[in-house]
Amino acid sequence: MCASYGIDPRFDAVTFQEEPDEELVAALRTWAERNAGEILRPTGRNRRNLNPLIVDHEGTTALELGWWGFLENGAPAGFATINTRSERLARSRGPLPARAIVPVSYWREMTKPSRVWHHFTAPEDGLLGLAAVTRPGRTADGTAYTCYSIVMRPAAPQVAHIHDRMPLLINPGFAEEWLRAPGAGGDLIDAAVAAAAPINEMVRVAPARVEESPEDPARLF
């Protein structure tokens, strides 16, 4: 389960776009500087953080702030929604829900039974893109949000010794297709998994410092 990640404003490269949108990159860097390195965790009753998403807006790639996890009946859903299994999406015969790319400098997973947290990063301060599905949601006061769930897949062999699952990474040549393709869900998921292979090979893993270990995700809702 991916329950925390971060965006370092000092990122040098963007791995999910072949030709980085400079305006979008600048907006993302500004947001990350204001966030001052705070670890990004799911949004909920006790944590109202909104996190950057790369979305399609009428054929144009745009930066939007989203609520991590789904809202139902004006409140965070009563079941786990911060992650969605790629296998479940792949079984869909119809089109997938609306989609987004979550920009991250790193994400974290815990190795069991040692309970050691690890950072997963791109080399050379690169910015990775995680696949996500989205849906509209509203809080009890009627405020509308774009809600998102990170798509998780079985771990690639080179990182499976740390955790058995990992986010579905977006290859730079696949970003537009992920955001805009109207085809059947299973075909798109299979294509995204295949396209991710070169990015998976880039991922580096290192233990997180003790002071950086995230709190129990169950306490966030």
Side-chain angles (χ1 to χ4, degrees):
M1 178 179 70
C2 177
S4 61
Y5 61 88
I7 304 175
D8 188 329
R10 299 168 295 181
F11 62 84
D12 289 334
V14 176
T15 68
F16 55 84
Q17 287 186 318
E18 288 185 304
E19 297 183 6
D21 181 323
E22 296 303 327
E23 183 176 344
L24 184 149
V25 167
L28 181 58
R29 197 183 305 277
T30 297
W31 184 93
E33 288 171 348
R34 290 174 179 168
N35 189 56
E38 182 176 347
I39 298 169
L40 306 183
R41 299 185 173 98
T43 318
R45 292 187 181 91
N46 300 324
R47 186 182 297 278
R48 289 300 181 94
N49 53 293
L50 299 177
N51 306 324
L53 298 176
I54 311 300
V55 299
D56 174 62
H57 181 66
E58 298 180 350
T60 301
T61 302
L63 185 69
E64 181 177 316
L65 297 182
W67 180 296
W68 187 6
F70 292 153
L71 287 161
E72 291 194 343
N73 300 318
F79 53 94
T81 60
I82 63 171
N83 297 157
T84 297
R85 285 179 172 260
S86 63
E87 300 95 317
R88 184 175 71 80
L89 294 172
R91 291 194 294 268
S92 171
R93 295 181 179 179
L96 292 176
R99 301 175 295 278
I101 297 173
V102 179
V104 308
S105 297
Y106 61 85
W107 82 89
R108 299 172 170 207
E109 297 290 1
M110 178 190 284
T111 301
K112 298 179 180 180
S114 64
R115 297 184 61 82
V116 174
W117 288 93
H118 286 76
H119 275 193
F120 292 73
T121 65
E124 300 177 358
D125 299 320
L127 202 63
L128 294 165
L130 314 186
V133 290
T134 70
R135 67 168 64 170
R138 291 181 182 274
T139 50
D141 63 4
T143 305
Y145 294 95
T146 296
C147 301
Y148 70 98
S149 179
I150 294 173
V151 179
M152 300 293 288
R153 51 159 290 185
Q158 61 270 28
V159 298
H161 63 292
I162 301 296
H163 199 276
D164 62 348
R165 300 191 69 80
M166 66 180 290
L168 174 55
L169 302 180
I170 296 297
N171 183 293
F174 199 79
E176 288 193 11
E177 188 167 356
W178 175 254
L179 293 176
R180 302 186 177 106
D187 293 340
L188 185 58
I189 291 294
D190 290 344
V193 169
I199 303 298
N200 295 339
E201 295 287 343
M202 295 171 53
V203 171
R204 297 179 178 180
V205 186
R209 295 192 299 269
V210 173
E211 63 270 22
E212 294 178 331
S213 296
E215 60 191 281
D216 182 354
R219 296 173 54 197
L220 303 180
F221 300 96

